[in-house]
Amino acid sequence: VQVVESGGGLVQAGGSLRLSCKASGFITSVFNANPMAWYRQAPGKQRELVAEITSDRVTNYANSVKGRFTISRDNSRKMVYLEMNNLKSEDTGVYYCNAAGYGRENWGQGTQVTVSS
């Protein structure tokens, strides 16, 4: 089981990025049955939940990103996405994908997002 994030980078405030997360090694039924989430960790701060999506595609967002970020999943590809719009400097951090399954939380290595003001 491997979780790999991509899509991070440097963007100006007000810009957009789309993060992708690939959950490899999951059998389809396990991926489909479990929630997926994006977390982030800013320098000097604890890791925090950004957005999550259940197996029924019910979504939940941190208050700080509501109306700007959208989480989605493609079960056929075992992918999770995070569309980020109107980015702010406080969105800077390492973004991690969390894929629940096989009785544990499976984390990726993270992708850096830097928003310049």
Side-chain angles (χ1 to χ4, degrees):
V1 172
Q2 188 177 19
V3 178
V4 179
E5 305 95 337
S6 62
L10 174 64
V11 63
Q12 288 187 335
S16 299
L17 280 175
R18 188 193 195 206
L19 305 184
S20 299
C21 170
K22 174 69 175 176
S24 301
F26 280 69
I27 61 174
T28 301
S29 59
V30 172
F31 183 87
N32 293 354
N34 280 282
M36 302 293 160
W38 286 96
Y39 287 73
R40 69 185 178 192
Q41 188 165 17
K45 295 187 177 180
Q46 289 188 334
R47 192 173 298 189
E48 63 174 354
L49 176 68
V50 175
E52 58 186 347
I53 183 166
T54 70
S55 58
D56 294 329
R57 303 179 190 276
V58 175
T59 58
N60 180 48
Y61 297 92
N63 288 333
S64 60
V65 307
K66 283 181 180 177
R68 300 187 298 121
F69 290 13
T70 302
I71 188 171
S72 60
R73 62 190 296 164
D74 183 339
N75 287 350
S76 65
R77 297 183 177 182
K78 302 175 190 174
M79 298 284 294
V80 183
Y81 304 99
L82 186 67
E83 186 74 34
M84 306 186 294
N85 297 312
N86 191 21
L87 283 160
K88 304 176 181 181
S89 57
E90 51 263 43
D91 295 318
T92 293
V94 179
Y95 283 68
Y96 298 91
C97 180
N98 177 280
Y102 301 100
R104 64 180 184 267
E105 305 293 326
N106 302 282
W107 293 92
Q109 292 300 306
T111 185
Q112 176 71 44
V113 172
T114 303
V115 184
S116 63
S117 56

